[in-house]
Amino acid sequence: MDEPDGLMNGGELQIGGYSMTRALGDILWIPIVKRPYWELQLRRAYLGSDQTIAYSGKIVVDTGTSLIVAPKLIVEEWNRVFLKGVYNADTNYYMFDCKTVDSLPDLNLQFGEGKGHLFTLKPSQYVIKYSGECYSAIAGMDISTSDDPVWILGDAFLRHYYTVFDAEEERVGFALANKSLH
């Protein structure tokens, strides 16, 4: 029987371990800063090479979220001002001219202790192409806590990085995903 479209490119769940064949390079381990969620310290989030406009906070790793979610004001600034997206009230997404996607800046996320580890998404990785239109995979939602704004690191990021949830050591590991196995 044929597999439905996209199923072969999906993830897998391995309980009790992980497979280094799914990762390119070493796994970088990031300690959890708060339970019960897989919450990490977001040191910096910025577009392109300009780190003068960078944001920080907490970031929750969530396989049940499709997009990268950030505070609304940041998302509006990034999508409208820096990425030149146009907000579509019908879809609640920012849209881009698909011809300009390759010229957009990289999305850089740095999280973990100390200086943290830097993870980068190319524009083609944070823009969703659907039915000939291009949408931002960076969405806005204000999630308030007592100390820092909370971001959500969803599938728009996780599909590009092999992710290991280590409950015993209270940490999350990331490595570039080995796409050749899909």
Side-chain angles (χ1 to χ4, degrees):
M1 175 183 266
D2 291 334
E3 298 289 338
D5 287 344
L7 186 61
M8 293 301 293
N9 291 325
E12 71 180 16
L13 174 64
Q14 183 174 347
I15 298 175
Y18 55 91
S19 173
M20 286 305 296
T21 61
R22 298 284 181 194
L24 294 176
D26 295 332
I27 293 178
L28 301 171
W29 295 101
I30 314 293
I32 297 169
V33 295
K34 188 176 180 184
R35 296 294 264 149
Y37 305 106
W38 297 92
E39 186 175 299
L40 312 176
Q41 182 63 49
L42 176 62
R43 295 286 173 214
R44 300 174 79 91
Y46 58 96
L47 293 168
S49 59
D50 184 4
Q51 296 184 40
T52 59
I53 302 174
Y55 301 94
S56 63
K58 303 288 192 239
I59 194 158
V60 174
V61 184
D62 183 16
T63 60
T65 300
S66 299
L67 306 173
I68 297 168
V69 178
K72 287 180 182 179
L73 288 176
I74 295 170
V75 169
E76 181 180 335
E77 180 180 51
W78 277 4
N79 282 307
R80 188 178 50 77
V81 177
F82 297 110
L83 302 177
K84 306 296 185 217
V86 176
Y87 183 72
N88 182 325
D90 293 335
T91 64
N92 288 324
Y93 288 101
Y94 282 87
M95 299 178 66
F96 305 104
D97 179 341
C98 291
K99 294 180 218 158
T100 67
V101 170
D102 291 337
S103 66
L104 297 175
D106 293 346
L107 170 61
N108 298 290
L109 301 168
Q110 187 175 3
F111 35 84
E113 295 178 318
K115 292 183 179 182
H117 299 286
L118 181 64
F119 299 89
T120 300
L121 290 179
K122 298 289 183 198
S124 62
Q125 296 172 317
Y126 68 80
V127 172
I128 300 165
K129 292 183 181 179
Y130 180 74
S131 294
E133 296 185 310
C134 290
Y135 302 89
S136 176
I138 306 167
M141 181 187 307
D142 291 328
I143 305 169
S144 59
T145 65
S146 59
D147 47 3
D148 286 323
V150 176
W151 297 47
I152 300 175
L153 195 60
D155 296 338
F157 176 88
L158 298 174
R159 75 174 49 98
H160 304 289
Y161 285 93
Y162 181 68
T163 307
V164 180
F165 296 89
D166 185 343
E168 187 174 309
E169 297 293 326
E170 294 193 347
R171 63 187 184 168
V172 179
F174 298 102
L176 195 59
N178 185 351
K179 300 276 185 165
S180 68
L181 296 176
H182 294 277

